[in-house]
Amino acid sequence: MDHAHVWHPFTPMRQWREAEPLIIERGEGAYLIDARGHRYIDGVSSLWCNVHGHAVPEIDAAIRAQLDRIAHSTMLGLTHEPGIELAAKLCAIAPGSLSKVFYSDAGATATEVAFKMAVGYWHHRGEPERHTFIALDGAYHGDTVGAMSIGYSDLFHRPYRSMVFRTEFVPPGEAGAMAAKLDELGGRCAGVTIEPMVQGAAGMVMHDAAYLRAVATLCREAGVLLIADEVATGFGRTGTMFACEHGPIEPDLMCLGKGLSGGYLPLAATLCTDEIAAAFEGELHEFKTFYHGHTFTGNPLGCAAALASIALLEKRDLIREVRRKAKLLGEWLAPLAKSAGVKEVRQCGMMVGIELCDQAPPAAHAAEAGGSALGDFGESANRYARRIGYEVCDMARQRGVIIRPLGNVIVLMPPLAINDAALRTLVDVAADCIAAVKDSRSSGR
């Protein structure tokens, strides 16, 4: 029935239908369990969103308790306790003076909200010419039209090129290039959008805290808005609650998703300052209202899960645990970084990219990709008789580990609460599979 009816995201479907699908039936902690009872380490935290593991009693209980009250009620002209409490909590833990929360349902929609807020802010201030954005090469902010525009990948978005709006791109990590572009655009720039510290879908491309500070300073000096896309990096992934704290920097808008609900339910949020929110307030005849929304905006079940997840983060001091585990990860990955077939190992907290030496489509235009089992680059992969990233991940699956490639970059991003033994197994299996595929290629098998 899957082969007959389900269209999977980022997955070449003809190739998918050539193999038996892996059907996940349940989860326990850091493990996924398939319909035949086989256990797998969830090495990508169910697409970078799971925080505490699967079947967490505290989050399960919070959802059940909310379900006894109400599963969903619109926030258009109404409100509810979980949404109110979560908004207050997010503003309390967010960097800088972010004080307003607009809910949506996915990371891409959170970024869309931010982009519309930025352009609307300037419009209501009497500067409608400010509608061009600056983003980093390799940026990825989702696959809706606005997100494609500011995270354009020719590999994935080429058929939709006519739909996207103009965005200026600069090399990541180069403050001089950012300064030059801001100077060039002058009063036409609405904002700069960055993924702080780690450009995940670009292939785990890292930049440092000094660069974050430089970009924030340049935005302040140029008088443009700074948008931080923390969908992948938020809630402890990089060793701080939010990656902006590495700077530290204070964005004008911040986008959250993935780990917001602990990885349980579709929930996202866009945070902004009082100044930005105030631009959308006025008399009714001024029509300054932010005319944007989603049916499941601020879903009570999702908000209840998020409140329980954040409470667990704090109660278990999970961010300190992430720092400890990140140190272990670095030690265990060090030998792999020096091994044959590995070009570079990149790590920030619990986000790891292992770039392999074999040629593959440019990492700078990568995004989460699917394949017949684990991942490839769609039609462009026809140029490569054997996809090394796919081969490594396919072999790892056979050894009870689920990981995904971004082209020739192997991504390790397990649930933050994974125990040390499972974390070590994840690294060892990845290393062994990389070595085995490299040896197989060398021998021509």
Side-chain angles (χ1 to χ4, degrees):
M1 285 189 291
D2 180 283
H3 286 170
H5 302 295
V6 181
W7 192 342
H8 291 264
F10 283 102
T11 302
M13 291 306 297
R14 180 183 299 174
Q15 290 72 23
W16 167 264
R17 286 189 289 267
E18 293 172 355
E20 182 179 359
L22 177 59
I23 301 174
I24 299 301
E25 188 173 79
R26 57 196 175 92
E28 293 178 1
Y31 290 86
L32 300 170
I33 303 165
D34 71 16
R36 292 196 168 111
H38 300 132
R39 296 171 66 88
Y40 307 85
I41 294 175
D42 187 356
V44 291
S45 57
S46 295
L47 204 55
W48 309 358
C49 66
N50 191 282
V51 175
H52 306 282
H54 301 277
V56 181
E58 293 87 344
I59 302 179
D60 291 352
I63 294 172
R64 290 191 185 101
Q66 180 58 42
L67 192 58
D68 287 338
R69 300 182 182 97
I70 189 170
H72 181 64
S73 172
T74 181
M75 293 197 89
L76 277 70
L78 300 175
T79 191
H80 51 74
E81 289 184 13
I84 297 168
E85 292 175 7
L86 178 59
K89 184 62 178 179
L90 290 175
C91 293
I93 64 176
S97 54
L98 298 170
S99 57
K100 295 292 188 292
V101 176
F102 192 99
Y103 291 116
S104 55
D105 52 12
T109 56
T111 63
E112 293 273 357
V113 168
F115 305 149
K116 289 181 69 174
M117 281 183 176
V119 172
Y121 167 77
W122 292 115
H123 178 88
H124 294 315
R125 282 171 53 97
E127 299 184 62
E129 68 280 1
R130 285 187 178 265
H131 52 71
T132 300
F133 290 88
I134 299 174
L136 303 183
D137 288 337
Y140 179 78
H141 301 289
D143 297 297
T144 51
V145 174
M148 282 195 302
S149 301
I150 300 182
Y152 181 78
S153 162
D154 195 57
L155 185 62
F156 295 114
H157 303 146
R158 186 182 305 120
Y160 320 109
R161 189 71 182 87
S162 62
M163 299 172 66
V164 304
F165 53 76
R166 179 182 175 184
T167 298
E168 299 289 337
F169 292 92
V170 297
E174 299 182 17
M178 180 67 74
K181 184 60 67 176
L182 282 166
D183 185 62
E184 174 190 330
L185 290 176
R188 292 178 290 130
C189 185
V192 171
T193 306
I194 60 171
E195 300 162 78
M197 299 300 289
V198 185
Q199 290 181 261
M204 295 296 159
V205 174
M206 314 282 177
H207 45 256
D208 60 22
Y211 177 69
L212 278 187
R213 290 192 294 273
V215 170
T217 298
L218 288 168
C219 287
R220 295 288 178 267
E221 292 174 347
V224 305
L225 301 178
L226 176 60
I227 303 168
D229 179 353
E230 292 251 17
V231 171
T233 56
F235 301 100
R237 282 283 163 198
T238 66
T240 55
M241 182 64 81
F242 302 108
C244 286
E245 295 172 36
H246 287 280
I249 63 169
E250 299 182 3
D252 299 292
L253 298 113
M254 186 169 73
C255 308
L256 304 175
K258 290 192 182 291
L260 172 57
S261 71
Y264 262 65
L265 290 166
L267 182 69
T270 305
L271 280 64
C272 72
T273 62
D274 279 340
E275 180 183 354
I276 291 173
F280 293 86
E281 298 175 6
E283 300 300 324
L284 292 178
H285 70 270
E286 296 180 282
F287 299 106
K288 290 185 175 182
T289 297
F290 187 46
Y291 294 108
H292 183 97
H294 305 270
T295 300
F296 291 98
T297 289
N299 172 259
L301 292 176
C303 292
L307 284 165
S309 176
I310 295 171
L312 275 180
L313 269 166
E314 296 176 337
K315 177 182 177 182
R316 297 176 176 176
D317 202 359
L318 191 56
I319 292 175
R320 184 174 67 176
E321 271 291 284
V322 168
R323 294 179 186 138
R324 183 187 67 82
K325 291 173 187 175
K327 185 177 180 180
L328 287 177
L329 257 179
E331 294 171 359
W332 295 337
L333 289 166
L336 182 60
K338 301 174 184 177
S339 64
V342 174
K343 180 179 179 181
E344 185 180 32
V345 174
R346 299 184 285 271
Q347 178 196 0
C348 183
M350 296 282 280
M351 303 178 76
V352 175
I354 305 167
E355 185 170 352
L356 309 180
C357 290
D358 281 42
Q359 180 64 32
H365 294 95
E368 270 298 305
S372 59
L374 288 163
D376 64 19
F377 279 83
E379 291 303 314
S380 67
N382 293 334
R383 294 175 291 169
Y384 307 99
R386 301 178 70 194
R387 302 183 302 277
I388 188 170
Y390 165 80
E391 292 172 27
V392 169
C393 294
D394 192 45
M395 186 180 293
R397 175 181 290 188
Q398 297 170 35
R399 295 185 53 178
V401 169
I402 300 294
I403 51 179
R404 290 178 62 87
L406 292 164
N408 63 332
V409 177
I410 305 300
V411 173
L412 307 183
M413 202 190 299
L416 301 187
I418 188 172
N419 63 42
D420 292 1
L423 185 60
R424 184 63 196 255
T425 298
L426 172 62
V427 173
D428 288 347
V429 168
D432 290 347
C433 292
I434 289 169
V437 170
K438 187 262 180 186
D439 290 345
S440 174
R441 287 179 165 234
S442 298
S443 64
R445 294 196 300 272

